Amino acid sequence: MSFLFCCCREKNQRNTTSSNKPFPILLLPTLMNQLALELMDPFEIISFSLCSKKTNHLCKTLLKKRNRNEPFNISILISSAEIRIALTVAKISHIEWTFCIKQQYLKIWKEKIMNGFYIWNWLENDQNARQLFFSGDTLAAFRQWIDHLNGLFSYKIELLKLDLILSPSDAAYILKLFEMNPPFLFFKCSDHDHLMRSVMNREKYFSVLSIDFKPKSPSVLDLNNVKVKDYFESFTSHWISFEQMMTFSCENISIFRTSFVPNNFKTMIREWRDGWNPIWKSACIDCSEFRNIINLIDDVPIDIDGFTPFLPIPDQDFGRAYRFFSDILQGDELLPYAGYHFIRMDGQILTFYAIYNGRTYFYIQTEENFRFELHFHMLGDRKF
């Protein structure tokens, strides 16, 4: 039985046995209240803060100073249908407390906990997840909930994922969240060029930036203004020029639905063989016109085993092209692919391969380990 359950009972509960009497937490001295709150997990603190104005004030007063040096990391998903907020704290990072807040106008059998917010039961079976319901506008609900959390905890945004259309006022609010510098941003927006430009012109770097964006005026956007360190992903990329991709400063990139043509790939391979080195290490590029990887090179290749991800280089034969064929399992489907390893005269290796759906994968290998490496380019596990 949780500590909070001992303190709070249903209002209509009238069991007078001594073992079931609620604990009079509000009658305790301040120091005892502080100790009592320290026994609560985040869910219990939040639910306790929603019991009354007095409990809310008590939590804000006693917790904010204590948590200032131990801020929560918050991961946020906002879509038109639901809001997800996950809390973690550094010293116990393996535990995550998650709120799933869904839009639902039917209020029967739910307890109102805040304006427009309802819940079935705080004491659910899953200790680390709670499901709430709201009636009204998604962003208004999010703002109300995040403002309440802000009154209780110090926090920093670790991941922000947006998948909804924003009004100008909502866009302005989201821009304030960007000022909190979330290192991971997954962003879907089709109507607000000014918001996207604000993302792209940030002075600070994202660690990961994933966008699905259809700009009204592509000419005003420049990929080289984007500051991303580890991984950049764009699902609608007709606004990205081939020249911008060639000079983009990010370790790993994935760009889909590009306007590139097969000759662009031939140019990139030729320039690499002549000594050009991109800043990125791996790239996944989607080109609808691209169908046959064999047409990208003029060399007579040496065929090698394509099933071995790490294959020793045969006799360290520099300046040659090695061709391989194999399959990759995606979901329940086995997809064939073909590719090449190129060894430049300075020993650097370029690996590229294409799957039948038009996606081409490039990997630059700079380590002098004298083996071919085959990397399947994908973003790591996401929280949402």
Side-chain angles (χ1 to χ4, degrees), residues 3 35 50 82 98 105 129-130 134 152 198 216 262 285 332 364:
F3 182 84
L35 294 174
L50 292 169
E82 70 172 0
T98 303
Y105 291 94
R130 293 293 183 273
F134 69 92
L152 300 175
S198 297
K216 296 178 182 177
I285 304 170
D332 297 327
I364 305 275

Side-chain angles (χ1 to χ4, degrees), residues 87 99 143 159 169 178 200 206 213 276 324 328 341 368:
L87 306 173
F99 293 96
R143 293 173 70 166
L159 180 151
S169 61
F178 292 158
M200 301 185 76
F206 291 107
F213 178 63
W276 165 74
F324 56 88
I328 182 174
H341 298 293
E368 296 180 358

Side-chain angles (χ1 to χ4, degrees), residues 129-147:
R130 293 293 183 273
Q131 184 162 283
L132 310 178
F133 302 90
F134 69 92
S135 57
D137 177 71
T138 302
L139 256 294
F142 170 72
R143 293 173 70 166
Q144 186 178 355
W145 192 252
I146 207 73
D147 286 347

Side-chain angles (χ1 to χ4, degrees), residues 169-182:
S169 61
D170 291 336
Y173 180 78
I174 293 300
L175 285 176
K176 291 183 179 179
L177 294 182
F178 292 158
E179 294 172 4
M180 300 185 70
N181 301 313

Side-chain angles (χ1 to χ4, degrees), residues 111-158:
E111 179 184 352
K112 184 175 181 180
I113 58 173
M114 199 161 47
N115 276 344
F117 282 93
Y118 302 83
I119 192 169
W120 288 111
N121 183 9
W122 276 109
L123 304 173
E124 297 182 18
N125 292 330
D126 190 341
Q127 293 183 354
N128 298 327
R130 293 293 183 273
Q131 184 162 283
L132 310 178
F133 302 90
F134 69 92
S135 57
D137 177 71
T138 302
L139 256 294
F142 170 72
R143 293 173 70 166
Q144 186 178 355
W145 192 252
I146 207 73
D147 286 347
H148 185 76
L149 293 182
N150 188 44
L152 300 175
F153 309 109
S154 297
Y155 66 85
K156 58 181 180 180
I157 298 177
E158 183 181 37

